[in-house]
Amino acid sequence: MRGRQAFTPDIDKAADYISDKFGQMDLDKLDSESDYLQKFEVLSIKVKNADIEVGGTEVSPDDFFVLGDTANIEWAETNEIEAVQIAEGENFQQRFNEIRESTAEAFVYVDKSHEAIFRRYQPFFSRASRTFPKEQSSNKIFVLSSKSSETSFNAYVTKETDRLELANVVGKIEGNRKDEYVVFSAHYDHIGIRQPNAAGADSIANGANDNASGTTAVIELAKYFKSKGTPERTLLFVAFTAEESGGYGSQYFSKQLEPDQIMAMFNIEMIGKPAVEGPNTAWITGFEKSSFGELLQKSAEGTIYEFYPDPYPNQNLFYRSDNATLARLGVPAHTISTTPIDVDPDYHQVSDEFETIDVAHLTNTIRAISQAAVGIVSGQDTPTRVDASQLN
Ligand SMILES: [Zn+2]
């Protein structure tokens, strides 16, 4: 699958593979979908041509960037577009964020005292931007110029918009409680083809651990719970797309459900290598943010397996996977992982190969998750909600 990168045809094959597995198990589909693929669109917007003038003088392409939606810009001198200024002595980042979040169109003069930070932003924001179709913002043009907002300006910008299709893969086991969901998820995308280190060297980042291991867990957990008959709560098995490319899969997914109806999310990442604490252990990100981790610990008591809090708080792992999108909506959504991320030589490298996976450990971990989840699946246990106001 050549590294399953989002926005390539290769990931579609991976999606079909997972769909086939769900089909073999005869999982239910989401009510909103006719198959296991939860398809959606992302827009890619790029400036094709831009002609910007300030006080009658053309602005060099390196001295401006455009933020906004798909609409072309035709702002002539006699218009009602607001001219604003990020003046000398103002906090650039703060002003930039304010202007960016505002719904008004704006022509923004960035004082030359902010040149250093402008030069960092300009190439980044000049690249194609991606957005959900409904979440477009209004156009803003940022120009590096010490002219004041009294100066006249003209702006003519044409844009090119591509519609890109992505898909999560979602299977369901409907429970007695139709409106109480438990989500088991993992991202199935990876980072695709890299620049080889030398001529003829491997260039495919297979992502065996990141995150074929977690995707395997989701498939196996679906198989396991399907064999157990009708659960009390409704179970969703979700393979997310584009975790590595903007998190669009989990963002889209989170908007299709009522977050209050999601009782817990077991997000599974990189469980192919034993943790530093030992072979039969896994850690949980954001352990203190809900009672999810404690409930899993309690369920694992008396077994060979142990769950413990994420030992790498400085890595911000709670915020680096798809769980964060749902946690921000209050869902007790945590990532379960085992790979020593701080020293793992294969993380986001072409060396992340199947041969590096400890299959016995992977199997034990999937088994442990299946057992630790029993209380939540049966409705006996319900983790406390995450306080979204406390999240970054
Ligand atoms: Zn990952």
Side-chain angles (χ1 to χ4, degrees):
M1 315 291 178
R2 301 200 301 174
R4 307 182 303 281
Q5 189 170 20
F7 306 108
T8 70
D10 304 308
I11 194 169
D12 297 338
K13 292 183 196 160
D16 289 342
Y17 176 86
I18 300 164
S19 290
D20 286 349
K21 292 283 177 192
F22 286 176
Q24 285 160 19
M25 294 172 218
D26 199 25
L27 294 189
D28 303 320
K29 290 150 191 143
L30 286 177
D31 295 341
S32 55
E33 306 297 330
S34 56
D35 56 25
Y36 298 113
L37 297 181
Q38 182 183 47
K39 288 185 185 159
F40 59 95
E41 269 185 351
V42 170
L43 301 182
S44 170
I45 306 166
K46 199 174 183 323
V47 168
K48 213 168 107 197
N49 281 304
D51 183 3
I52 318 267
E53 283 179 13
V54 169
T57 308
E58 180 142 2
V59 180
S60 143
D62 296 335
D63 289 347
F64 70 87
F65 60 91
V66 180
L67 297 187
D69 58 19
T70 55
N72 291 333
I73 297 174
E74 277 185 47
W75 296 345
E77 274 168 51
T78 53
N79 62 43
E80 289 167 5
I81 304 303
E82 196 191 356
V84 286
Q85 196 172 17
I86 303 183
E88 187 175 4
E90 287 190 301
N91 181 328
F92 178 87
Q93 246 153 345
Q94 192 188 326
R95 291 281 290 128
F96 176 80
N97 290 335
E98 281 166 12
I99 295 163
R100 192 184 185 192
E101 282 158 25
S102 148
T103 51
E105 297 187 302
F107 192 91
V108 187
Y109 293 94
V110 179
D111 187 84
K112 284 198 170 158
S113 59
H114 299 294
E115 177 157 4
I117 189 161
F118 182 91
R119 297 259 170 253
R120 289 207 301 278
Y121 277 49
Q122 198 271 342
F124 181 80
F125 287 106
S126 297
R127 295 205 296 251
S129 68
R130 288 181 184 141
T131 174
F132 286 109
K134 281 182 197 146
E135 285 181 1
Q136 302 172 41
S137 61
S138 48
N139 277 314
K140 283 120 190 161
I141 300 176
F142 290 77
V143 177
L144 184 67
S145 167
S146 289
K147 295 248 164 59
S148 82
S149 49
E150 310 298 309
T151 322
S152 67
F153 62 86
N154 291 318
Y156 300 94
V157 179
T158 53
K159 301 187 189 176
E160 203 170 64
T161 303
D162 284 329
R163 308 184 81 86
L164 309 172
E165 199 166 79
L166 291 174
N168 297 319
V169 192
V170 187
K172 180 169 94 169
I173 302 175
E174 189 156 282
N176 295 325
R177 303 185 198 173
K178 292 181 177 38
D179 297 334
E180 290 188 16
Y181 296 99
V182 179
V183 175
F184 296 91
S185 64
H187 73 87
Y188 73 100
D189 70 306
H190 193 53
I191 56 174
I193 299 170
R194 316 306 279 176
Q195 207 65 262
N197 286 337
D202 187 4
S203 61
I204 296 177
N206 284 300
N209 192 26
D210 183 12
N211 189 28
S213 68
T215 308
T216 302
V218 168
I219 294 169
E220 292 301 313
L221 288 164
K223 206 185 287 174
Y224 172 78
F225 284 110
K226 184 71 185 176
S227 77
K228 295 282 160 188
T230 304
E232 184 60 22
R233 285 181 165 142
T234 296
L235 311 183
L236 296 178
F237 300 91
V238 187
F240 285 125
T241 187
E243 189 267 355
E244 309 276 15
S245 312
Y248 296 106
S250 53
Q251 287 177 50
Y252 182 82
F253 174 83
S254 72
K255 287 174 195 134
Q256 311 311 308
L257 288 168
E258 201 57 63
D260 293 348
Q261 295 181 346
I262 306 177
M263 299 296 118
M265 178 191 198
F266 294 73
N267 189 52
I268 306 165
E269 268 265 19
M270 300 175 68
I271 55 167
K273 294 177 184 177
V276 281
E277 307 279 319
N280 285 310
T281 65
W283 35 266
I284 297 168
T285 65
F287 195 91
E288 70 295 341
K289 297 187 197 304
S290 82
S291 64
F292 176 89
E294 279 168 45
L295 290 173
L296 265 60
Q297 276 183 331
K298 207 179 67 189
S299 306
E301 269 171 27
T303 74
I304 56 160
Y305 212 95
E306 206 182 318
F307 294 95
Y308 61 99
D310 168 15
Y312 310 106
N314 294 339
Q315 296 261 357
N316 270 319
L317 296 172
F318 181 76
Y319 294 103
R320 277 170 55 186
S321 190
D322 291 312
N323 65 287
T325 303
L326 283 98
R328 288 199 178 90
L329 302 171
V331 178
H334 301 262
T335 292
I336 299 171
S337 187
T338 66
T339 299
I341 187 101
D342 55 339
V343 293
D344 181 46
D346 306 315
Y347 178 67
H348 282 198
Q349 304 295 322
V350 295
S351 59
D352 183 358
E353 303 272 11
F354 176 72
E355 288 68 31
T356 69
I357 301 288
D358 180 336
V359 176
H361 164 74
L362 175 61
T363 309
N364 287 342
T365 303
I366 297 170
R367 195 169 281 146
I369 295 170
S370 74
Q371 295 314 301
V374 166
I376 295 174
V377 169
S378 71
Q380 202 185 322
D381 294 332
T382 302
T384 56
R385 309 296 291 175
V386 166
D387 180 357
S389 72
Q390 298 298 308
L391 301 186
N392 298 343

